[in-house]
Amino acid sequence: MRTALLVVDVQQGLFDREPRPAGADAVLGRIVGLVAQARGRGVPVIWIQHERAGTALEHGSDGWQLAQGLPAPDGDACVRKTTPDSFLGTDLQARLDADHVRHLVICGYASEFCVDTTVRRAAALGYAVTVAADAHTTHDKPHATGEAIRAHENATLPEITSFGPVIRAVPCAEVFPAAPSAEKRCPICGEPNDCRPAATGRYDTPCWCRDVEFSADLLARIPKERAGHACICRRCAESSGAAGAP
């Protein structure tokens, strides 16, 4: 399922003026990290920028620009919006559909307004959503701190199931799982595979392949540099007719 990262309203007029959003610097740092991870994985990054004439977020003004410290959006898509809904009156959905995106990672500002509304609208449109739980924020309000509002959003958004797609809120460290290493891939086809062989060459990990007899021909297909790493996966075993393969 193709993923895109949405960075919502992280702009100078919202982050660089006093009072700043709760944990502004820490959130900015995590967003920088998410953008780097996304780009490293070929995940599209889309910058959402709010605008309103006659305010600090007037289009083209300094306040409308991305917050200081963020990477330049070279080659990334940028979407202008005028409401808390990043889809309403914008070309965001058309961009996502053209790129066959069905899963969105969402971070930014403000937790209870533009982040909340964009998450709900995305799910209503059929997109699975991952909220970067520690990479969105808001300003303190008379009724609650920015930290408390963020915690509330992280707790309540995943409870919305009626739209159909799953909404989850996870820390940035869990948003883009590390790709399996060579030691956790089938040595023949390269697909992820956590089963590991015993030092004797028999496969004693308690999993599906424990009692499988791999043919000499199949074992001979393992490149020398990958011998003794992860076990041969179920698909390769089945295709070779390994004895005992389910």
Side-chain angles (χ1 to χ4, degrees):
M1 183 163 53
R2 185 151 170 78
T3 296
L5 172 64
L6 302 188
V7 184
V8 180
D9 297 358
V10 186
Q11 297 165 255
Q12 290 184 26
L14 299 170
F15 274 77
D16 297 350
R17 297 184 178 189
E18 297 293 341
R20 302 182 70 205
D25 288 333
V27 169
L28 285 170
R30 295 184 191 111
I31 291 173
V32 169
L34 284 176
V35 171
Q37 290 181 67
R39 289 174 172 172
R41 288 165 169 77
V43 171
V45 177
I46 301 178
W47 302 87
I48 311 294
Q49 289 169 272
H50 195 85
E51 62 185 65
R52 185 177 181 183
T55 73
L57 298 181
E58 183 162 3
H59 177 252
S61 68
D62 289 344
W64 178 83
Q65 306 298 329
L66 295 178
Q68 296 182 44
L70 292 179
D74 296 336
D76 300 331
C78 296
V79 173
R80 296 164 55 184
K81 71 176 180 64
T82 58
T83 76
D85 183 346
S86 297
F87 292 90
L88 183 62
T90 75
D91 64 352
L92 177 58
Q93 185 176 8
R95 289 176 179 272
L96 296 173
D97 291 350
D99 211 10
H100 307 289
V101 170
R102 300 310 306 161
H103 170 233
L104 299 177
V105 175
I106 298 179
C107 62
Y109 180 95
S111 301
E112 78 278 34
F113 291 119
C114 299
V115 171
D116 178 288
T117 304
T118 298
V119 168
R120 293 172 189 259
R121 182 67 186 282
L125 291 172
Y127 299 96
V129 178
T130 296
V131 179
D134 50 356
H136 65 93
T137 186
T138 190
H139 280 84
D140 292 343
K141 304 297 191 301
H143 66 281
T145 65
E147 292 286 353
I149 294 169
R150 179 169 68 186
H152 172 79
E153 295 293 330
N154 289 339
T156 56
L157 286 173
E159 295 297 314
I160 303 173
T161 60
S162 56
F163 289 129
V166 171
I167 301 172
R168 64 189 191 117
V170 302
C172 287
E174 300 176 20
V175 168
F176 294 113
S181 65
E183 289 75 15
K184 292 187 177 181
R185 293 182 180 274
C186 171
I188 294 176
C189 70
E191 288 299 309
N193 189 25
D194 286 333
C195 183
R196 298 180 65 82
T200 60
R202 290 285 304 173
Y203 294 82
D204 64 352
T205 306
C207 73
W208 73 271
C209 72
R210 181 174 52 186
D211 299 318
V212 174
E213 293 287 346
F214 295 104
S215 70
D217 289 342
L218 184 62
L219 293 174
R221 292 169 57 192
I222 300 176
K224 291 182 179 180
E225 65 273 14
R226 301 184 70 182
H229 286 187
C231 175
I232 296 167
C233 72
R234 186 192 302 261
R235 185 176 65 178
C236 288
E238 290 175 344
S239 66
S240 71

